[in-house]
Amino acid sequence: MAHINQLPEYNLTTGQLNLLYRLRIIWRDMATWIRSYLIYTFLESDPELKEAAAQKLMDLPVKYADIFRIFFGNEVADDHTILMTNYTKLLMSLIDATKSGDTDSINEYTNLINENINDRVNFLTYINPFWEKSTMSDLLHTFNNMTINEINTFANKDYQANIDLFSRILTYADRMGDTFAEGMVKYFTFSSREPRVP
């Protein structure tokens, strides 16, 4: 796996390295703002705090798309934005439903989230053959399952387990970032398609 300190071996430009770094930290940002939204929801904090966390979450698919746009073009970037935005909204809805104890909605959102992940796996592995389907599926489903466990442990007031789980999620997010970056490095190193210069 191409860790961040190994990337100079690929003779990448500064612009490409910066893009890879941005790609690498997106999942850590996702984990951080999901947690903020979770805490603000369950502690019934000032609505402005919850709205601010929601906006930060909604900004992430756009940042993701900006990276994709450079290498895959506008259509791919826009399609991914839709998928990622839907995933983010579903996660927030799942948190809200868990807070209110709405079991039917919890089950519905959970099923929709899993369908969204499968759609994103198919999409990602189609646009970049260097992202392997089994690997992408495992990464995205595991991140999601850990996030759902984080929601449930907070809802059950098992705060120590919740904190420990969040720490593991951050570590896992770094692993995801490494894998996404590695696939992107291979794409613009070995693919015949020329990336767009940022």
Side-chain angles (χ1 to χ4, degrees):
M1 181 175 293
H3 292 280
I4 200 73
N5 60 349
Q6 296 173 308
L7 292 178
E9 298 176 10
Y10 288 86
N11 295 318
L12 305 177
T13 67
T14 300
Q16 289 169 336
L17 285 170
N18 288 337
L19 287 169
L20 288 173
Y21 178 75
R22 285 163 54 193
L23 179 66
R24 186 176 181 272
I25 66 173
I26 279 177
W27 285 101
R28 175 174 275 265
D29 289 345
M30 176 68 75
T32 299
W33 289 112
I34 287 172
R35 181 166 185 79
S36 295
Y37 186 88
L38 170 65
I39 292 173
Y40 296 152
T41 298
F42 273 84
L43 297 185
E44 298 180 356
S45 301
D46 189 316
E48 289 188 11
L49 284 173
K50 182 176 177 178
E51 179 60 32
Q55 187 57 57
K56 286 290 186 181
L57 279 168
M58 295 305 296
D59 288 344
L60 290 176
V62 178
K63 292 180 180 179
Y64 218 147
D66 288 343
I67 299 170
F68 276 37
R69 200 174 308 281
I70 292 168
F71 295 99
F72 302 114
N74 290 330
E75 183 176 354
V76 166
D78 292 341
D79 288 346
H80 187 265
T81 300
I82 293 171
L83 286 170
M84 197 67 188
T85 298
N86 288 341
Y87 174 70
T88 304
K89 288 180 177 179
L90 287 168
L91 267 183
M92 289 191 288
S93 296
L94 177 61
I95 291 172
D96 293 338
T98 304
K99 165 64 174 167
S100 64
D102 186 344
T103 303
D104 289 340
S105 292
I106 290 171
N107 292 334
E108 179 183 1
Y109 290 132
T110 300
N111 290 333
L112 290 172
I113 286 170
N114 285 325
E115 290 176 10
N116 176 278
I117 291 173
N118 291 334
D119 289 342
R120 281 189 291 130
V121 168
N122 290 333
F123 181 82
L124 291 168
T125 55
Y126 175 77
I127 64 172
N128 185 353
F130 299 104
W131 286 326
E132 296 180 0
K133 190 167 187 176
S134 61
T135 301
M136 290 292 103
S137 180
D138 180 64
L139 286 175
L140 295 178
H141 278 289
T142 299
F143 177 87
N144 186 68
N145 291 337
M146 293 174 76
T147 299
I148 290 175
N149 287 337
E150 181 188 16
I151 295 168
N152 291 334
T153 53
F154 201 93
N156 294 329
K157 298 184 178 181
D158 190 354
Y159 297 128
Q160 186 58 57
N162 181 266
I163 291 170
D164 293 341
L165 183 56
F166 178 59
S167 179
R168 294 199 302 273
I169 290 173
L170 290 180
T171 300
Y172 195 79
D174 288 340
R175 175 185 167 189
M176 292 177 71
D178 283 339
T179 302
F180 273 89
E182 179 188 23
M184 190 65 85
V185 167
K186 289 181 178 179
Y187 178 86
F188 58 61
T189 301
F190 302 113
S191 175
S192 61
R193 288 165 286 189
E194 290 293 327
R196 294 163 175 78
V197 178

